[in-house]
Amino acid sequence: MPRLRARIVLACAVYVAALVAANLLVARFGPAATPVIGFFLIGLDLTLRDALHDAWAGRGLWPRMLALIGSAGALSWALDPASGRIALASLIAFVAAALADALVYQALRRSRRFGGWLMRANGSNAAGAAVDSLLFPLLAFGALMPSISAAQFGAKLAGGFLWSLLLRARTGVQQQPLR
């Protein structure tokens, strides 16, 4: 049990750190950098969300996820108050993306045809990436940005897929990646 807790704490720390880094990098480099940031950092967060989803299933999932997302937004703003709009946009977009991700993840989890963790993680990542890629640029930069949204979506899917493979290989467990 202590080993499981240590993995969950590490996943939470990496989740918040990646989201804070993404917010600060977007604030510094603007919308053109979001596909690269989406690949490396948001793809990681989407995949870690699914691992935490399994670890916390039925045990305060939503309050915990909202606390992580809120902490990342607050920390982003505390580290760089000029990133406030980015941090708020990220918070709103990531909460909406978490809802879409959770709905799809749970539907795939209940389905016998799509039972493997890689299928659940990547299927739900598509829903989360779509919502985040549409909402974030609109809220952060005040405009619809179809090319940026499309590039972000593709980058987040590809990054999420890569991170899901790495996480599964690292843990060696397909059904419960943090256990």
Side-chain angles (χ1 to χ4, degrees), residues 83-100:
S83 74
R85 183 176 180 152
I86 300 297
L88 182 59
S90 174
L91 187 139
I92 294 167
F94 239 60
V95 167
L99 178 59

Side-chain angles (χ1 to χ4, degrees), residues 4 8-9 11 47 69 74 76 98 109 116 119-120 135 151 157 173 177:
L4 172 61
I8 291 171
V9 168
T47 303
I69 295 167
S76 298
R109 192 175 191 187
M119 180 65 80
R120 291 191 311 264
L135 279 180
L157 280 183
V173 179

Side-chain angles (χ1 to χ4, degrees), residues 67-138:
L68 289 178
I69 295 167
S71 297
L75 188 55
S76 298
W77 179 80
L79 291 172
D80 180 9
S83 74
R85 183 176 180 152
I86 300 297
L88 182 59
S90 174
L91 187 139
I92 294 167
F94 239 60
V95 167
L99 178 59
D101 182 280
L103 291 172
V104 172
Y105 193 84
Q106 283 302 318
L108 293 174
R109 192 175 191 187
R110 285 188 297 272
S111 171
R112 295 278 183 219
R113 290 179 34 207
F114 303 107
W117 186 77
L118 281 176
M119 180 65 80
R120 291 191 311 264
N122 288 290
S124 64
N125 283 358
V131 170
D132 189 58
S133 297
L134 289 172
L135 279 180
F136 179 75
L138 178 63

Side-chain angles (χ1 to χ4, degrees), residues 33-92:
T34 60
V36 174
I37 294 165
F39 179 83
F40 289 105
L41 298 173
I42 304 306
L44 172 61
D45 273 358
L46 290 170
T47 303
L48 281 174
R49 177 186 304 149
D50 295 327
L52 290 168
H53 192 119
D54 277 347
W56 290 336
R59 296 184 305 262
L61 172 67
W62 279 106
R64 290 173 174 177
M65 288 309 304
L66 292 173
L68 289 178
I69 295 167
S71 297
L75 188 55
S76 298
W77 179 80
L79 291 172
D80 180 9
S83 74
R85 183 176 180 152
I86 300 297
L88 182 59
S90 174
L91 187 139
I92 294 167

